[in-house]
Each structure stands twice: as C-alpha cells, then as structure tokens.
Amino acid sequence: EASDEIGGVWRSDQYEGASLQGPYWMYQFADFAWPRDLVKGIISPGKAAVQEYIRRYAEKYNVFSKVDIKYQCRVKTAVRDAHRNSWIIHIAESDEVIEADILIMAIGNNSSSPIIPHIPNEHMYRGLIVHSSEIGNGGILKSAYNIAIVGGSKSAYDIGQMQPHKTTLIMRTPHYWTPRWLLLLPFFDRIAYALFSGYKVNKSDRSWLTRVLDEVFMPLVAVGINRPDSTSLLDDIMNGGGLHVCTTSKQYRNAKLWRLEKSQPKEFTENGLLLENGQEVEADVVVFGTGFQPTRAFQEIFEGIELQDTLDDGLYLYKYIYHPKLPNVFFLGFKDPSLNMPPNASIQSLWTMCCAAGIAQLPPSNDMEEIISTRQQNTRQSFPFSHRRAYYDFFLAGESSVIILIL
C-alpha cells in the first residue's frame, strides 16, 4: 500500500465534502451491511464514514491481524520466474524482494497523479494555484476573496460548495446533474438498465423506449444551472458527463450562487485567468478540479511485456480481470460499474479466488485473446474516446457483464 492507511480515494487526506454520489445501500459489500451509527439520518455518507465502513469490514475478516500489510510501499517491477511458476516482486526504494504464486493488482484505474492543464503565463499570476487533491478541509479557500475552479465534474462541484458566494466555475462543456432523489425511486435500477442497455452511437439506431427515457424523461428531471446543448443524457454521459454529480436541494441552491463561465482558460494574468471567450476572471486562488491521470503503473511493473497495441484508452482484460500474457495476475477494480463498486469488487474477488484455487478454469490463452480483441474492437467502435473506455461496464452495449460461477 503506497499510503499509510487503507481506504483508497476515501483516505483522510481527501478533500472535505467528498461523499458517495448515491445512497449508501448501493455502495456496500454483499456480506457487510452499513452499521447504523454510520448512516443514521444520512443517505450519502461522507469520506470519514466511508473509510470507517471499509475499516470495519477489514476488521470483520481480521485483515489487520492476519495480513502482512506493508504501508508506504510501492512495487517497482514484477518479473516472471517461469521455472518456479511465480512472480518476483521488487519493492521500490529498498532491496526487498517478494516471491508470489498469485499477484493481484488492486491499484484502481486512476493514478494518484493529478491532471493539471498547462496554461501559459503561469509565472505572471500572483495568486495560489492548487489541485483539488490539495484542498483538504478548505482552509486555504476561507481567506480568499475570489475563487476560480476549473472543471465541470465531481471534484469541481464538491469544492464549489465550500465557498459558493466567492466562486467562479469555469467549465468547457456543461453537463446534466442528477437530483439525488431520482436514485431513490422504486425500480430505478430497472429504469437505468433499460436506458443504458439501449445505447447506440446513432440516435436513429436506439429503440423508442430508450429515446423516450433518454431525451424526454431524464432531461426533464435532471438539473443544471448551465445545461448542455445536447438533449440526450446518454450522449452527455458518453462525453464525460451525466450521473457522476448527484445533487441535493441544498447543494443546488449553493450552486446557484456561482458565477458560471462556459469556456476554458486561455492564459494566466496577474490577477486571475483570461478565458477563451474573452472574459477575465479575477481570483486569488485557482483550483483545478480536473481529476487524475489514468493508471499506467502496469507498464513499468511488467516491463518488457507488450500488453496491447495502445494503452491510451485503458487496458482491456478478460472479464475485466485477467490478461493472458500475465499468468496468475488478476486485476481488481478495472471495471466501471457506475455506483456499485463494492459489490463489483466482491464478485471479482470471488472469481479470482476460485481461479487461484482451481475451482474455476480459465479458457486457453488464444481464446481469451480473441474475446479481448472482440470486446476491444466493439468498445472502440461503440463509444467516444476516453482514457477509461476499456473499463466501461459492457451492459451499456447490451452484453451481460455478470460473472456466473457454477461451483
């Protein structure tokens, strides 16, 4: 574990205001319900509660006492020993070497390297420039007179809630926001499946039910103080927007206090940012809510192994878990199932353990490569480019992604 605690994106150094995007019961392990004291009177718990939930789950299964967790530890390389049928793992910044029969990559599909756009004349700017990952409890924003936030996604939206009356939000492409109550509707999961499974690149190829849900019902209930030009929620999602911002009524009222600029920065000035639309935004703090670089650590860890033609849109895997060129290596978390991350991780972990124990048998390498190649081709033809495209849940294209184990 590279950090000094468990929790991943929910660690204590995450910015204040980070919370689940949907109701807690859609974000829980199948064998561990949320303790009542963590969700009493709350639908979408914040980062501290989520991390505590994860910690208690680990305690339930004695992870801290039975597992040798090496904190502040990074893997440099993993080299295959074909004779011993094992992996030799070299630890960065030390001489330590670990030999493993099974190697599980649970590093997530986003790295810890922030995306900070290059904007000319940064040296002229007299204010403070930070990324959302550096905001913490928001103390650096309290003394600011004017705040400019660059980005239109979840972190930008959350940080804009801290000092809304001082905030200018600069977003190149506005997106729909989803009222949180929509996720509480009966049969929401059935409605969502009917919507997403009917996605086709061309609107004319979509069924009438998909088009009614997509172009009439969803835009009718979706909110946004700077709504996108597209009337299709599906098109908005496939181009980086959609359901990732689920807003409460209080958050929506705060958002109405923002000054909105539908543009992007052109260059820094002494007092702020000059935008492509000609407007100048004064700010003593500029915050980049622009997310993180995609994970490419496996390129360095498995040095010399060519996994696929290009990794620009992510690493394509058999069942989103296994690569035939990496024997006994399993990737967990390299699949985007929208809001249901823990159940998805549970299913992936179960399948991994069954393969490791010989209960479930992997197909021959050639068969897996053919399956991966077909999904890669279909995905690249069906969806706009994204650095996470390889991890899209394939039910979006009408193909079941459910793993069925016959034991």
Side-chain angles (χ1 to χ4, degrees):
E1 169 56 48
S3 72
D4 57 1
E5 58 183 336
I6 68 167
V9 297
W10 302 108
R11 292 193 301 267
S12 58
D13 59 355
Q14 179 66 281
Y15 61 81
E16 291 293 333
S19 67
L20 295 183
Q21 300 174 48
Y24 64 83
W25 56 86
M26 294 181 67
Y27 193 99
Q28 68 180 19
F29 295 105
D31 53 351
F32 190 64
W34 275 81
R36 296 305 304 168
D37 63 301
L38 295 181
V39 293
K40 187 175 181 180
I42 301 173
I43 294 177
S44 301
K47 65 168 187 175
V50 179
Q51 188 184 30
E52 177 62 13
Y53 171 73
I54 295 171
R55 189 190 66 79
R56 292 188 194 181
Y57 182 71
E59 280 188 339
K60 175 184 177 181
Y61 290 103
N62 301 310
V63 170
F64 297 116
S65 60
K66 291 186 177 180
V67 178
D68 179 16
I69 304 178
K70 299 180 182 296
Y71 293 106
Q72 296 183 321
C73 178
R74 292 181 181 272
V75 172
K76 182 179 181 182
T77 59
V79 180
R80 180 73 176 162
D81 187 330
H83 296 290
R84 295 175 60 86
N85 194 28
S86 64
W87 288 92
I88 308 302
I89 301 161
H90 298 267
I91 304 302
E93 300 177 356
S94 82
D95 297 325
E96 186 176 3
V97 175
I98 300 171
E99 184 175 6
D101 301 312
I102 304 294
L103 177 56
I104 296 176
M105 302 289 288
I107 57 177
N109 57 54
N110 274 337
S111 72
S112 58
S113 301
I115 296 175
I116 301 180
H118 171 70
I119 300 175
N121 299 334
E122 181 180 325
H123 64 281
M124 293 177 53
Y125 179 54
R126 298 185 296 185
L128 179 65
I129 302 172
V130 295
H131 186 263
S132 60
S133 58
E134 303 171 277
I135 289 297
N137 63 7
I140 58 177
L141 303 180
K142 292 178 181 178
S143 59
Y145 290 100
N146 293 293
I147 302 163
I149 300 177
V150 179
S153 195
K154 183 69 167 62
S155 60
Y157 183 90
D158 285 344
I159 292 168
Q161 297 290 319
M162 293 182 176
Q163 301 290 329
H165 56 291
K166 303 178 182 179
T167 296
T168 298
L169 188 68
I170 303 165
M171 60 172 77
R172 177 180 55 195
T173 305
H175 299 296
Y176 287 108
W177 300 335
T178 308
R180 195 162 291 175
W181 59 260
L182 184 64
L183 303 179
L184 308 180
L185 288 177
F187 309 112
F188 170 77
D189 55 340
R190 309 300 199 277
I191 297 172
Y193 183 81
L195 176 65
F196 292 123
S197 62
Y199 173 76
K200 304 291 182 184
V201 175
N202 296 319
K203 287 185 180 181
S204 58
D205 294 333
R206 301 171 191 173
S207 70
W208 67 267
L209 176 60
T210 299
R211 295 199 65 172
V212 168
L213 288 172
D214 177 40
E215 300 177 50
V216 179
F217 176 71
M218 292 301 293
L220 187 66
V221 298
V223 296
I225 48 178
N226 193 5
R227 297 169 71 93
D229 296 331
S230 173
T231 58
S232 167
L233 186 75
L234 282 173
D235 289 343
D236 185 46
I237 290 172
M238 295 306 165
N239 287 282
L243 301 176
H244 60 288
V245 174
C246 299
T247 178
T248 64
S249 56
K250 179 181 178 181
Q251 291 170 335
Y252 188 54
R253 289 195 300 272
N254 284 341
K256 287 185 175 181
L257 299 176
W258 298 338
R259 294 176 296 278
L260 287 171
E261 290 290 347
K262 183 181 173 181
S263 186
Q264 58 184 330
K266 180 179 181 181
E267 61 184 18
F268 277 101
T269 64
E270 285 189 0
N271 300 316
L273 289 166
L274 178 64
L275 307 183
E276 293 286 357
N277 64 6
Q279 295 292 321
E280 184 170 356
V281 176
E282 291 190 3
D284 17 20
V285 179
V286 173
V287 181
F288 288 109
T290 43
F292 293 86
Q293 300 286 350
T295 294
R296 295 291 183 263
F298 40 77
Q299 286 181 287
E300 301 171 3
I301 293 174
F302 303 107
E303 188 178 6
I305 301 177
E306 185 177 350
L307 299 176
Q308 65 188 39
D309 56 345
T310 174
L311 294 169
D312 288 348
D313 58 345
L315 179 63
Y316 289 84
L317 301 164
Y318 174 69
K319 291 188 182 294
Y320 303 84
I321 299 174
Y322 196 83
H323 197 290
K325 292 184 179 179
L326 301 172
N328 292 336
V329 177
F330 298 86
F331 292 78
L332 301 185
F334 282 71
K335 178 173 180 284
D336 284 345
S338 302
L339 302 173
N340 301 314
M341 293 300 292
N344 184 71
S346 296
I347 294 172
Q348 288 190 320
S349 299
L350 177 61
W351 187 79
T352 295
M353 291 299 98
C354 287
C355 288
I359 299 171
Q361 298 295 324
L362 288 165
S365 293
N366 289 342
D367 291 351
M368 286 191 285
E369 288 177 356
E370 184 176 346
I371 292 170
I372 292 171
S373 177
T374 299
R375 185 171 74 84
Q376 181 187 72
Q377 184 178 22
N378 290 342
T379 300
R380 288 176 173 173
Q381 289 177 350
S382 300
F383 303 113
F385 174 80
S386 164
H387 65 254
R388 297 157 59 95
R389 184 166 55 183
Y391 315 127
Y392 284 176
D393 190 322
F394 220 56
F395 85 87
L396 293 175
E399 179 177 305
S400 174
S401 63
V402 177
I403 298 170
I404 300 176
L405 294 175
I406 302 176
L407 304 180

